[in-house]
Amino acid sequence: MGGFLPSRLREGAHYTRAGGRPVESLTLPVAPAILPHDSFGKDLRLPFEPLDQFLQRQKKLEQIAALGHDPYPHKFDYTATPAEVVEKYGTRTAAKLDTERVLVRVAGRILTMRLHGKAGFAHIHGQGKRLQIYVKLDVVGEPGFQLFQLLDMGDVIGVAGHLFRTKTNELTIWVEQLTLLTKALLPLPEKWHGLADVELRYRQRYLDLLVSEGVREIFTRRAQIVRELRNFFDARGYIEVETPMMQPLAGGATARPFITHHNTLDINLYLRIATELYLKRLLVGGLDRVYEINRNFRNEGISTQHNPEFTMLEFYQAYSDYRDLMDLSEELLTGLVQQVCGTTQIHYGEHEIDFRRWERLSMREAICRHWPTAAGAAPTGQQLAAAGGPRAAVERYNAWARGGHAEPTASAAKFSDGELTGLLFEAVAEPKLIQPTLLYDYPTDLSPLSKCRPDDPLLAERLEIFIGGLELGNAFSELNDPAEQERRFREQVAHGGEEVPKEVDMDYIRALCHAMPPAAGEGIGIDRLTMLLTDSHSIREVILFPLLRPEARSLAASAGERPDPGDAK
RNA sequence: AGGGGCGUAGCUCAGUGGUAGAGCAGCGGCCUUUUAAGCCGAAGGUCGUGGGUUCGAUCCCCACCGCCCCUACCA
């Protein structure tokens, strides 16, 4: 415990720390204890800040218990959630409600309170909607009203009563019976602005979900996206599987893995960087259509588009090539946008994106198409295909760029024509790919897991999906020649580097030797897809608990320890 | 990793080289149809941490910690 609170909340923390020894108690005002003292006489209350409000609410909870209420009841039978009540009765007239006298039992969290002496209003929140309640002394009686006066914003309560409309015509529950379900010992964030501190929003996402506009919708939409993806593949005869996240070799992509350790086996394992090689083993095993939606882990940088753990859909289908996936990708994404957003034209930042108009471009075509006119005549496809052609184009581009027009691209002599084509694409075309685009025919040098085009071994049958400037998906005609695969693996290992496996995955080669049918496979980044469909511009907005640096220093400080000066670099 | 920005009450934010301010939340009081309810009163702060300059630092300088943004690698 203890990794989740901002340092300010930990000031004065004196619960047991990880080592099990009780931590020195800091000076605290005397207050009623809910939890007992331990055998050392240390106070085991949980003194979080704001301390005065925490203690105040503990006191109220005791008073509520003294009134005969169970402070932590086990359940509450409700007839509808606040959202359901609003949905069902939101348009019913006051007169109709008066004659019908609709009885409801509703549970929710108090988000606002307005007390008026011997009566009061509150809003309770449930399933993303607010519903007003009205509590009156002469309706709930003296004991019920005492309880009401001991409630705070943030408390979870249950109410029973009938629906009516106030003078201002707001649908409201006329509360006849009030029950505390859980007392909040800490207050909610400020009610106008909610949580503005981005760090606090991520660290205390539960509060963010309660008080920040739209956050709940992002994650319900994310769930909907995943659900629709499953529906799509399930309806087409794909089997959903779960392959190992802990792997003896981290293959299937070029990325630095995380390392973990299994004690009993006494071996190091890698957290997977891709599902690819296991899913293709399943193709060998006769699962001709197979998909997996789950986490990959890459020990690399963090940015608005990268989180160390991220969610990927990967799917494979036998007896197909990447051209089949072009059609499938369009169908999948266009249908998904229609279902999730209710339209095929969406906004992403300043862009209007139209899923009715897909573009298909080869990488060379994309370069020709988006070549800056100011940099002279665009190279032709034949020029880019010719030996030395990409280098000539890069040199022309850089000559123009160095005039202060753009960032010149790398052009070291060791780069192959294929690599230079890739660099040129990234410099010239990639930022321009806003409308849904299928980019295909990558240089073979950039695509070690892909089959080559039969008519041109310099080109790989590879496809990427670009939308809104985001790289959303990546697909191949999968390499299934075990000898060629082993050759490429050995080349990789020889090349070395942290982002390359240390040895050849011979188990995978053996699987290929049992014959993997010709197949096409594709990966789609779920986080980025969610960004696109929720108009979010940081991956952290679509991940509930993005990775943040733990607050090790302040934790140690609040536990009464000085950080080791040797660590202070 | 490099560049830029931010860190002041529990939350949202002002502010100044001379010992700190508002709103919300909380506390006490009034208020039986409110809507950011209102009115009255009192309380709440090692101004991120550590150094330095200064008679004096929350403010200026340096280092560190954390977060955000941009760039680079990556999906």
Side-chain angles (χ1 to χ4, degrees):
Chain A
M1 69 181 288
F4 60 98
L5 282 167
S7 57
R8 287 189 287 287
L9 292 188
R10 285 220 201 76
E11 295 303 320
H14 62 165
Y15 46 82
T16 307
R17 65 149 189 265
R21 283 183 293 127
V23 164
E24 282 308 303
S25 181
L26 302 181
T27 317
L28 287 169
V30 177
I34 289 178
L35 298 173
H37 294 228
D38 71 7
S39 54
F40 301 97
K42 299 292 184 189
D43 191 339
L44 293 181
R45 280 169 299 147
L46 304 167
F48 297 115
E49 287 204 356
L51 190 56
D52 56 336
Q53 295 189 44
F54 180 82
L55 296 176
Q56 184 65 37
R57 285 167 181 236
Q58 276 190 326
K59 203 163 105 192
K60 286 181 181 176
L61 184 56
E62 288 198 326
Q63 290 170 346
I64 290 168
L67 287 172
H69 300 280
D70 180 353
Y72 292 99
H74 289 216
K75 66 176 291 187
F76 182 82
D77 288 317
Y78 59 90
T79 58
T81 64
E84 286 164 352
V85 171
V86 170
E87 165 81 14
K88 192 165 176 192
Y89 300 103
T91 57
R92 198 153 302 188
T93 63
K96 202 140 185 255
L97 286 174
D98 283 345
T99 55
E100 286 176 348
R101 206 181 154 79
V102 179
L103 294 170
V104 292
R105 290 172 61 83
V106 180
R109 184 186 293 270
I110 301 174
L111 284 192
T112 64
M113 283 185 96
R114 296 172 292 282
L115 272 71
H116 299 266
K118 298 187 178 62
F121 290 92
H123 278 109
I124 61 172
H125 174 272
Q127 298 213 306
K129 284 289 191 321
R130 294 176 180 214
L131 176 60
Q132 184 166 258
I133 65 170
Y134 181 53
V135 181
K136 215 157 83 117
L137 170 61
D138 48 19
V139 176
V140 297
E142 187 66 41
F145 204 72
Q146 279 180 350
L147 171 61
F148 183 59
Q149 286 176 309
L150 289 167
L151 294 180
D152 289 293
M153 288 188 281
D155 291 354
V156 179
I157 61 167
V159 298
H162 64 271
L163 297 175
F164 77 110
R165 283 187 183 276
T166 61
K167 276 181 188 169
T168 53
N169 208 35
E170 178 165 350
L171 182 67
T172 304
I173 300 179
W174 182 277
V175 176
E176 284 144 38
Q177 202 184 16
L178 181 67
T179 313
L180 173 74
L181 299 179
T182 316
K183 184 90 189 139
L185 296 176
L186 289 168
L188 289 171
E190 207 256 3
K191 68 182 175 189
W192 306 353
H193 310 88
L195 278 184
D197 183 326
V198 179
E199 178 183 357
L200 275 186
R201 287 186 46 228
Y202 298 154
R203 288 196 196 275
Q204 294 187 275
R205 187 67 102 172
Y206 44 92
L207 293 179
D208 193 35
L209 283 162
L210 285 172
V211 303
S212 301
E213 195 77 27
V215 171
R216 184 190 175 94
E217 283 65 36
I218 287 177
F219 292 101
T220 53
R221 180 164 284 191
R222 182 176 174 129
Q224 193 190 352
I225 289 167
V226 172
R227 195 162 57 239
E228 297 296 345
L229 289 172
R230 288 204 163 97
N231 289 342
F232 181 92
F233 288 104
D234 293 345
R236 284 163 180 77
Y238 291 75
I239 295 174
E240 180 173 8
V241 297
E242 288 151 291
T243 59
M245 292 206 188
M246 297 194 293
Q247 306 178 348
L249 281 173
T254 309
R256 278 189 293 177
F258 288 93
I259 300 172
T260 187
H261 185 81
H262 189 277
N263 286 341
T264 307
L265 296 181
D266 192 23
I267 51 168
N268 280 343
L269 292 165
Y270 298 99
L271 299 189
R272 74 174 174 206
I273 57 173
T275 45
E276 171 135 1
L277 299 183
Y278 281 93
L279 292 177
K280 290 202 284 203
R281 283 171 170 93
L282 297 178
L283 289 177
V284 175
L287 302 188
D288 287 346
R289 292 180 161 221
V290 67
Y291 75 98
E292 177 161 8
I293 300 178
N294 219 318
R295 230 68 64 80
N296 287 338
F297 307 86
R298 298 190 183 174
N299 203 342
E300 290 173 359
I302 295 174
S303 78
T304 48
Q305 289 192 46
H306 301 86
N307 194 61
E309 55 179 299
F310 62 101
T311 302
M312 220 20 191
L313 158 70
E314 280 199 38
F315 62 93
Y316 291 82
Q317 61 186 56
Y319 314 116
S320 306
D321 71 5
Y322 76 140
R323 298 216 167 257
D324 299 305
L325 292 187
M326 292 188 193
D327 297 333
L328 188 79
S329 298
E330 285 192 16
E331 187 188 346
L332 169 66
L333 290 172
T334 306
L336 183 74
V337 170
Q338 177 66 48
Q339 296 230 305
V340 170
C341 303
T343 170
T344 48
Q345 291 151 284
I346 64 167
H347 289 279
Y348 188 65
E350 60 192 2
H351 302 299
E352 173 124 4
I353 295 173
D354 188 347
F355 281 82
R356 294 170 306 182
R357 292 205 308 258
W358 283 81
E359 186 140 41
R360 297 186 184 187
L361 290 174
S362 75
M363 186 178 274
R364 287 171 187 163
E365 283 167 355
I367 294 169
C368 303
R369 165 92 53 102
H370 293 290
W371 182 268
T373 47
T380 64
Q382 285 95 332
Q383 284 169 347
L384 289 175
R391 177 165 298 278
V394 164
E395 276 161 12
R396 278 175 56 215
Y397 175 77
N398 281 349
W400 169 76
R402 284 197 194 91
H405 304 288
E407 191 68 28
T409 189
S411 59
K414 62 172 182 178
F415 289 139
S416 66
D417 279 343
E419 287 167 323
L420 288 166
T421 305
L423 289 167
L424 202 53
F425 164 74
E426 282 169 24
V428 165
E430 189 172 348
K432 305 269 177 62
L433 301 183
I434 302 302
Q435 295 306 320
T437 303
L438 300 177
L439 189 88
Y440 62 93
D441 283 356
Y442 278 59
T444 302
D445 306 0
L446 303 179
S447 314
L449 292 163
S450 183
K451 271 185 177 159
C452 299
R453 279 184 63 126
D455 58 341
D456 184 352
L458 293 177
L459 292 179
E461 293 198 345
R462 177 180 180 187
L463 155 73
E464 287 207 344
I465 304 168
F466 289 89
I467 306 175
L470 295 171
E471 201 179 330
L472 280 185
N474 192 11
F476 305 102
S477 298
E478 301 293 344
L479 186 65
N480 62 345
D481 171 349
E484 173 63 8
Q485 182 70 76
E486 184 181 351
R487 189 190 67 75
R488 294 192 194 183
F489 275 168
R490 290 200 183 285
E491 206 170 76
Q492 257 194 328
V493 171
H495 181 266
E498 273 187 284
E499 64 288 339
V500 158
K502 300 286 175 282
E503 54 185 293
V504 172
D505 190 343
M506 286 310 291
D507 180 71
Y508 176 67
I509 300 295
R510 176 171 55 195
L512 288 189
C513 289
H514 284 286
M516 183 181 98
E522 179 165 326
I524 293 179
I526 302 299
D527 310 280
R528 288 184 182 175
L529 183 58
T530 306
M531 287 169 68
L532 183 71
L533 301 192
T534 57
D535 200 10
S536 300
H537 297 266
S538 167
I539 199 169
R540 296 172 162 220
E541 290 295 330
V542 302
I543 292 176
L544 281 167
F545 298 100
L547 185 67
L548 299 177
R549 201 180 297 272
E551 299 161 295
R553 227 173 81 95
S554 48
L555 181 65
S558 72
E561 291 183 338
R562 294 279 76 85
D564 181 358
D567 289 348
K569 30 177 187 297

